[in-house]
């Protein structure tokens, strides 16, 4: 099973995502903003990173850019958690190197289906 | 599979209320002329988080409402819109509406959307009326509607030409996975094109060289894959590949079924929306803050974990010692026990720290309240807060809320003068209300002060004399502090037209009672014309009590140490009697009533002689009272266990604790004891504090 990092400043979202992923057997690490996530990324590798876009300290797009600079994250799938209206966010996320996005509202089944797409 | 997210709702509510507070304080900052982009960002992020969460839990009206708010905030964030006062007021009101809506959801009732809809249309009007790029902000429903033009029905399958750009892999996407996904939609046949593949020595393994020509037809279920599903697979790599999608068609026309379907869906959705509005009207409006949960920083839990680790080490050390113990190992045993004592004390302290929260949680509501009430009263009020980081027990804080609100309102209502009056008195037309919290000894002190008109000794005394709370002769001797304390007397504050006085008083006795029930006290200081200051002093925690152990009819009881003034041995000549069964004792220049807890609590029928007995003088509710006890034992910290939860409420007993020898000891509740003794109603004993 995969090792996944979820980055979101909202604890409930973080917990729901990890709960969903853990319930199918993935190993999940949580970070509550980009700064923290980057710290974790220095010492861990992941099969997938899921990150919120709007966060204090370091947002998800900056995080994506930073992660792509770390050799072990060069090809790691990074998914942005966004809302349907944030088209420009998706684009700047892609420009920063994001793999794709997960559209909120958060739906466990949708999450599982989407990560299947990047994890195979 | 389906995952039940119900368990995360409570957390979402809790977070949302924090987010609402953040929005509120941010908006207030903006209303005071702040233009900090960080503040706008914080407000935006908070709204955004609430939107995301509520959509997840199916709170569509909340999500829809926050969506509109978010749109406006986004424009402010991008600098396309000024933070005008009008907008901020509407946003503040929106915060209230959101709070109410979420409150309803938390109680399990559909929220009343009426106010939300009015506000929402105001927000939309602002958004569309502004100079901003209103065209860019569409509603989510419309956005979903304007999806692709489809013409299937005759479609037999798709020819797909997929040429990834070289950098596709670097976004973490993998062509192999996409092709596998395509394969899951139907029957896929493919042809790989490696014409771009360079020779081995020129090849960069980080780049994508391969291309594919594919045709996708109906799978075993006979369904032709639809265009949306295929496009979705390539959605993420739109800009990193060349993709052509070509329908394999047969020439047969059929009406546009999908468009029809879509129209029907719209109608259904509208019906649902109206339905929920109707339901909402029956929704109750009360709000409760259930959720007895607490958020604790992980570092505190880690610290506690360390302590538990140490405790385990001590425990194993001691049990090893117990295996074959002889007197030669006495020294080690003592060391072990000392260590155990330290461990458990530290563990207790650490546990207590977990219950501690910064007082800002209680202060946070005030900026908004002061803003609103100040406007309503037509007064210019500046709120100053100090020591917001001071920590206090969560339970104490919850109970402190009402008294705090009461006192702050009081200061604004009655303490601070209208601007004209202030100018006349040579003061700054803007007055302040200051909230200050700090630790002092084992207590936390919260001060509410203002630079208003202050308390008038004369007016208070006039009223008190009229009410018979004090005689004219006594009153002259009373220091100001004692006079001001009359405000907290029950008889005083129920008086009709208190606002004619220097204004304070309505219900202040309730404030005092609340605070005293927490084991705290409230004091007031004031200078006429310059302002007043109320200070609330509270114990740091309610879970542990500094207790004085004493014996009564063979049983051990606990008395809160803070209420004890002194203990003395009774001298016969100082005993006095008022009537037949009211005993008093002369303590220096005053007489204090003596009560016998043993008979009140029903421990003993024997009527012990007072002479030579032990009297513990306690203070409660401004009165000094002597309690006759058999024997004073040690002082120690006791952990309070509730009797109500384990047994039932017992008059005059506030709880129980387990002593070192394993015996249960009851903790005396002074208020209850006095009530039982009949002293409460006896004004003769109301003594000057």
């Amino acid at each position: 099973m995969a090792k996944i990092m979820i980055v979101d400043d909202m604890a409930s979202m973080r917990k729901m995502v990890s709960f969903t992923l853990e319930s199918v057997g993935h190993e999940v690490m949580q970070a509550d903003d980009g700064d923290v996530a980057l710290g974790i990324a220095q010492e861990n590798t992941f099969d997938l990173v899921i990150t919120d876009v709007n966060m204090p300290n370091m947002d998800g797009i900056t995080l994506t850019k930073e992660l792509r600079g770390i050799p072990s994250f060069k090809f790691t799938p990074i998914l942005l958690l966004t809302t349907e209206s944030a088209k420009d966010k998706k684009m700047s996320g892609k420009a920063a190197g994001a793999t794709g996005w997960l559209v909120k509202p958060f739906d466990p089944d949708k999450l599982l289906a989407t990560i299947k797409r990047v994890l195979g | 599979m389906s995952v039940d997210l119900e368990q995360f709702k409570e957390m979402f509510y809790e977070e949302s209320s924090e987010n609402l507070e953040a929005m509120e304080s941010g908006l207030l900052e903006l209303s005071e002329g702040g233009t900090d982009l960080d503040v706008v960002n914080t407000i935006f992020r908070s709204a955004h988080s609430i939107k995301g969460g509520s959509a997840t839990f199916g709170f569509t009206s909340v999500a829809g409402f926050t969506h509109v708010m978010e749109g406006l905030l986004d424009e402010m964030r991008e600098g396309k819109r000024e933070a005008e006062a009008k907008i901020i007021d509407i946003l503040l009101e929106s915060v209230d509406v959101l709070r109410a809506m979420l409150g309803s959801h938390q109680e399990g009732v559909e929220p009343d959307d009426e106010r939300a809809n009015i506000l929402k249309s105001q927000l939309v009007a602002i958004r569309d009326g502004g100079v901003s790029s209103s065209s860019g902000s569409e509603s989510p429903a419309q956005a979903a509607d304007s999806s692709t033009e489809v013409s299937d029905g005759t479609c037999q399958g798709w020819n797909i030409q997929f040429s990834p750009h070289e950098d596709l892999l670097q976004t973490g996407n993998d062509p192999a996975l996409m092709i596998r996904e395509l394969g899951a939609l139907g029957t896929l046949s493919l042809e790989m094109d490696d014409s771009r593949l360079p020779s081995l020595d020129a090849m960069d393994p980080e780049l994508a060289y391969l291309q594919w020509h594919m045709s996708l037809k109906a799978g075993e279920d006979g369904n032709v894959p639809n265009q949306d599903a295929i496009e979705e697979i390539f959605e993420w790599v739109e800009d990193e590949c060349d993709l052509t999608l070509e329908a394999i068609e047969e020439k047969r026309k059929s009406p546009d079924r999908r468009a029809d379907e879509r129209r029907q869906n719209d109608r259904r959705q509208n019906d649902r929306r109206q339905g929920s509005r109707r339901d909402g009207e029956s929704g109750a409006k009360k709000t409760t803050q259930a959720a007895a949960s607490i958020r604790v920083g992980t570092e505190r839990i880690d610290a506690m974990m360390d302590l538990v680790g140490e405790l385990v080490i001590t425990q194993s050390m001691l049990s090893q010692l117990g295996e074959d113990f002889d007197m030669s190992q006495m020294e080690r045993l003592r060391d072990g026990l000392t260590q155990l004592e330290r461990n458990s004390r530290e563990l207790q302290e650490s546990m207590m720290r977990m219950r501690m929260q910064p007082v800002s949680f209680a202060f946070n509501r005030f900026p908004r309240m002061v803003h609103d009430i100040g406007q309503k009263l037509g007064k210019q009020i500046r709120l100053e807060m100090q020591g917001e980081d001071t920590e206090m027990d969560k339970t104490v804080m919850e109970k402190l809320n009402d008294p705090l609100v009461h006192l702050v309102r009081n200061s604004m209502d009655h303490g601070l003068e209208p601007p004209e009056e202030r100018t006349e008195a040579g003061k700054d037309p803007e007055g302040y209300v200051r909230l200050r919290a700090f630790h002092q000894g084992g207590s936390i002190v919260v001060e509410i002060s203002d630079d208003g008109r202050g308390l008038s000794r004369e007016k208070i005394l006039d009223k008190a004399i009229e009410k018979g709370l004090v005689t004219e002769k006594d009153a002259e001797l009373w220091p100001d502090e004692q006079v001001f304390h009359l405000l907290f007397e029950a008889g005083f504050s129920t008086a009709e037209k208190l606002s004619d006085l220097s204004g304070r008083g309505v219900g202040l006795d309730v404030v005092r009672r609340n605070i005293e029930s927490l084991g705290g006290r409230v004091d007031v200081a004031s200078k006429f014309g310059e302002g007043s200051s109320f200070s609330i002093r509270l114990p740091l925690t309610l879970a542990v009590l500094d207790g004085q152990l004493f014996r009564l009819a063979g049983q051990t009881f606990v008395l809160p140490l803070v209420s004890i003034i002194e203990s003395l041995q009774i001298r016969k000549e100082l005993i006095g009697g008022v009537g037949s069964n009211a005993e008093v004792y002369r303590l220096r220049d005053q007489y204090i009533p003596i009560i016998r807890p043993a008979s009140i609590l029903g421990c003993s029928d024997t009527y012990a002689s007072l002479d030579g007995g032990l009297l513990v003088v306690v203070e409660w509710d401004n009165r000094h009272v002597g309690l006759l006890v058999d024997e004073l034992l040690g002082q120690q910290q006791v952990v309070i266990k509730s009797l109500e939860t384990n047994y039932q409420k017992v008059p005059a007993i506030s709880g129980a604790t387990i002593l070192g020898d394993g015996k249960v000891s009851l903790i005396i509740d002074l208020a209850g004891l006095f009530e039982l003794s009949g002293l409460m109603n006896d004004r003769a004993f109301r003594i000057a504090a």
Side-chain angles (χ1 to χ4, degrees):
Chain A
M1 280 286 125
K3 189 173 167 194
I4 301 171
M5 172 156 70
I6 162 73
V7 193
D8 197 311
D9 57 324
M10 202 147 167
S12 54
M13 188 60 72
R14 225 158 54 219
K15 294 265 159 77
M16 285 189 289
V17 173
S18 355
F19 177 80
T20 308
L21 295 175
E22 279 165 359
S23 69
V24 295
H26 295 300
E27 184 191 339
V28 185
M29 284 183 91
Q30 303 181 22
D32 54 13
D33 64 41
D35 265 348
V36 178
L38 212 51
I40 294 177
Q42 306 291 350
E43 288 163 16
N44 294 274
T45 58
F46 292 93
D47 300 308
L48 167 65
V49 176
I50 301 174
T51 175
D52 186 25
V53 175
N54 288 297
M55 291 182 293
N57 302 327
M58 184 191 289
D59 65 32
I61 289 170
T62 315
L63 172 67
T64 305
K65 213 175 288 170
E66 294 283 334
L67 283 179
R68 286 287 180 236
I70 301 175
S72 58
F73 283 85
K74 201 161 178 187
F75 303 101
T76 307
I78 300 175
L79 298 183
L80 299 172
L81 271 167
T82 71
T83 47
E84 73 282 17
S85 55
K87 178 109 192 174
D88 50 334
K89 277 280 142 56
K90 288 178 190 169
M91 290 307 121
S92 45
K94 286 289 324 192
T99 307
W101 47 84
L102 274 159
V103 175
K104 288 183 190 174
F106 171 71
D107 173 345
D109 296 332
K110 207 163 71 188
L111 169 71
L112 294 175
T114 310
I115 65 159
K116 218 179 220 161
R117 189 194 291 188
V118 287
L119 295 176
Chain B
M1 71 153 290
S2 113
V3 178
D4 184 14
L5 298 177
E6 196 61 24
Q7 54 172 314
F8 298 102
K9 264 192 188 166
E10 211 47 63
M11 187 183 238
F12 165 70
Y13 290 132
E14 212 172 291
E15 262 176 349
S16 297
S17 86
E18 279 167 26
N19 276 322
L20 287 170
E21 264 165 37
M23 287 168 81
E24 197 162 63
S25 59
L27 286 167
L28 288 170
E29 211 167 303
L30 291 182
S31 80
E32 279 154 18
T35 48
D36 196 345
L37 195 60
D38 279 351
V39 177
V40 185
N41 268 326
T42 306
I43 304 172
F44 173 83
R45 223 171 24 236
S46 304
H48 187 78
S49 295
I50 294 175
K51 173 176 137 182
S54 27
T56 299
F57 293 115
F59 305 155
T60 38
S61 55
V62 180
F65 188 73
T66 35
H67 178 76
V68 178
M69 280 176 87
E70 192 193 65
L72 258 189
L73 287 164
D74 198 27
E75 289 180 11
M76 283 163 70
R77 198 166 68 135
E78 314 251 285
K80 293 183 198 153
R81 186 177 291 282
E82 291 286 308
E84 297 160 44
K86 195 182 99 196
I87 299 182
I88 292 191
D89 281 346
I90 291 181
L91 287 172
L92 275 172
E93 214 181 321
S94 306
V95 170
D96 290 341
V97 167
L98 275 180
R99 192 174 279 137
M101 285 167 109
L102 286 167
S104 302
H105 280 300
Q106 192 167 9
E107 283 165 40
V109 291
E110 269 299 311
D112 180 1
D113 291 348
E114 201 179 314
R115 231 177 112 204
N117 287 333
I118 297 171
L119 266 179
K120 197 164 151 186
S121 54
Q122 279 175 316
L123 288 169
V124 169
I126 292 175
R127 189 187 67 193
D128 296 345
V131 280
S132 59
S133 59
S134 55
S135 56
S137 40
E138 80 286 42
S139 86
Q142 281 166 342
D145 242 16
S146 63
S147 56
T148 43
E149 296 296 316
V150 201
S151 68
D152 59 5
T154 58
C155 174
Q156 296 292 297
W158 302 90
N159 281 326
I160 304 164
Q161 173 84 19
F162 176 42
S163 315
H165 296 170
E166 288 193 333
D167 58 357
L168 179 133
L169 297 174
Q170 279 157 35
T171 59
N173 281 295
D174 183 347
L177 290 173
M178 291 177 214
I179 293 168
R180 193 187 300 173
E181 238 183 305
L182 273 178
L185 292 177
T187 313
L188 184 74
S189 50
L190 80 169
E191 194 184 304
M192 193 180 78
D193 172 0
D194 60 2
S195 57
R196 289 196 310 190
L197 198 67
S199 64
L200 200 58
D201 51 344
M203 196 169 83
D204 180 346
E206 294 188 353
L207 300 181
Y209 301 106
L210 300 176
Q211 309 170 64
W212 289 268
H213 312 284
M214 297 173 274
S215 78
L216 183 63
K217 295 198 168 149
E220 282 165 20
D221 55 2
N223 289 333
V224 178
N226 78 36
Q227 186 176 351
D228 288 354
I230 299 170
E231 279 176 348
E232 204 189 321
I233 292 173
F234 295 100
E235 191 187 8
W236 293 346
V237 291
E238 252 174 22
D239 299 332
E240 282 96 29
C241 73
D242 296 319
L243 182 74
T244 50
L245 201 56
E246 205 176 276
I248 308 167
E249 283 187 31
E250 246 179 42
K251 298 212 159 51
R252 177 155 47 89
K253 272 270 178 230
S254 76
D256 190 352
R257 191 161 40 85
R258 281 175 56 97
D260 239 20
E261 238 169 62
R262 205 156 53 225
R263 269 193 291 276
Q264 242 170 18
N265 271 341
D266 278 357
R267 211 169 303 135
R268 240 175 282 142
Q269 230 164 27
N270 278 338
D271 286 348
R272 209 176 314 136
R273 252 177 250 143
Q274 272 164 6
S276 75
R277 198 172 309 145
R278 263 196 307 278
D279 292 347
E281 278 160 19
S282 60
K285 277 196 179 153
K286 72 179 167 81
T287 51
T288 46
Q289 236 85 42
S293 63
I294 188 167
R295 302 184 67 191
V296 179
T298 41
E299 77 283 354
R300 293 198 172 175
I301 293 181
D302 291 346
M304 182 130 168
M305 206 53 228
D306 284 348
L307 290 172
V308 171
E310 281 178 38
L311 186 68
V312 171
I313 293 171
T314 310
Q315 185 265 335
S316 71
M317 192 262 253
L318 283 172
S319 66
Q320 218 169 48
L321 200 60
E323 295 274 307
D324 50 350
F325 183 76
D326 61 57
M327 288 316 277
S328 68
Q329 289 170 306
M330 201 58 194
E331 193 61 26
R332 280 189 62 207
L333 178 65
R334 254 194 223 113
D335 284 352
L337 290 173
T338 316
Q339 205 173 317
L340 183 65
E341 191 195 323
R342 203 191 64 228
N343 290 157
S344 50
R345 192 184 56 239
E346 283 173 353
L347 201 55
Q348 186 195 354
E349 280 166 8
S350 147
M351 188 66 226
M352 288 305 154
R353 265 197 298 280
M354 284 201 190
R355 297 181 50 88
M356 299 298 243
Q357 299 195 314
V359 78
S360 56
F361 283 32
F363 281 5
N364 275 345
R365 68 165 75 183
F366 290 111
R368 177 69 191 278
M369 196 179 118
V370 170
H371 172 90
D372 287 3
I373 294 182
Q375 246 172 14
K376 219 172 282 169
L377 293 172
K379 295 180 182 174
Q380 298 171 23
I381 306 173
R382 182 173 76 245
L383 179 71
E384 292 175 7
M385 298 197 280
Q386 290 171 2
E388 295 112 302
D389 295 338
T390 315
E391 295 197 320
M392 70 194 294
D393 190 280
K394 184 176 192 279
T395 323
V396 179
M397 185 139 62
E398 278 163 2
K399 295 192 175 158
L400 182 64
N401 265 334
D402 287 349
L404 262 186
V405 169
H406 199 120
L407 289 173
V408 171
R409 279 197 88 108
N410 225 31
S411 280
M412 288 189 290
D413 239 355
H414 307 304
L416 292 174
E417 316 89 329
E420 316 82 62
E421 202 180 316
R422 291 181 65 91
T423 318
E424 231 165 83
K427 290 177 172 177
D428 184 349
E430 183 185 61
Y432 70 75
V433 173
R434 181 184 299 141
L435 285 168
R436 193 160 83 96
F438 56 94
H439 286 289
Q440 197 173 66
S443 314
I444 178 163
V445 182
V446 181
E447 245 176 37
I448 303 97
S449 48
D450 63 65
D451 65 344
R453 50 170 79 95
L455 298 170
S456 154
R457 177 188 169 95
E458 286 67 40
K459 283 182 178 172
I460 295 174
L461 277 181
D462 285 354
K463 199 81 192 177
I465 292 167
E466 183 194 319
K467 289 274 155 193
L469 292 170
V470 58
T471 64
E472 223 163 314
K473 217 177 85 206
D474 284 351
E476 281 174 28
L477 301 171
W478 281 19
D480 282 353
E481 201 183 316
Q482 195 173 341
V483 172
F484 297 152
H485 223 275
L486 283 168
L487 293 172
F488 296 107
E489 292 294 327
F492 190 86
S493 41
T494 48
E496 349 73 88
K497 269 173 41 187
L498 260 156
S499 36
D500 287 348
L501 273 185
S502 73
R504 318 211 174 240
V506 186
L508 280 181
D509 62 316
V510 180
V511 170
R512 190 202 59 195
R513 226 181 286 272
N514 282 343
I515 290 165
E516 281 179 355
S517 74
L518 291 171
R521 51 184 281 188
V522 54
D523 287 308
V524 54
S526 176
K527 214 162 192 180
F528 187 64
E530 289 178 21
S532 329
S533 159
F534 288 79
S535 63
I536 300 172
R537 183 177 296 271
L538 288 166
L540 278 180
T541 174
L542 293 183
V544 174
L545 174 95
D546 278 313
Q548 167 72 54
L549 274 50
F550 67 97
R551 200 176 328 270
L552 209 58
Q555 289 185 48
T556 307
F557 290 88
V558 180
L559 202 58
L561 200 55
V562 20
S563 52
I564 298 178
I565 306 293
E566 59 184 304
S567 304
L568 49 90
Q569 189 142 41
I570 297 177
R571 281 158 58 195
K572 197 178 176 187
E573 63 272 22
L574 296 179
I575 302 173
V578 185
S580 54
N581 48 14
E583 294 162 317
V584 296
Y585 190 77
R586 190 180 155 83
L587 182 66
R588 289 177 284 277
D589 58 347
Q590 60 177 9
Y591 280 97
I592 60 168
I594 297 174
I595 63 174
R596 295 165 176 267
S599 56
I600 292 170
L601 296 172
C603 312
S604 153
D605 297 332
T606 54
Y607 207 72
S609 137
L610 288 177
D611 189 16
L614 263 179
L615 201 62
V616 179
V617 181
V618 296
E619 182 188 349
W620 190 80
D621 194 8
N622 284 347
R623 284 177 275 186
H624 290 181
V625 179
L627 305 183
L628 185 67
V629 306
D630 292 348
E631 192 186 345
L632 279 174
L633 306 165
Q635 297 175 355
Q636 73 174 69
Q637 283 205 330
V638 297
V639 177
I640 303 171
K641 307 264 181 204
S642 158
L643 274 185
E644 277 118 314
T645 49
N646 296 312
Y647 173 54
Q648 65 179 60
K649 175 130 186 68
V650 179
I653 301 296
S654 60
T657 190
I658 298 168
L659 297 177
D661 59 5
K663 285 195 181 131
V664 172
S665 172
L666 298 175
I667 302 164
I668 301 282
D669 164 31
L670 284 177
L673 189 70
F674 296 154
E675 203 161 341
L676 277 185
S677 72
L679 270 180
M680 281 291 258
N681 312 318
D682 206 337
R683 190 158 290 156
F685 289 126
R686 201 164 276 270
I687 323 170

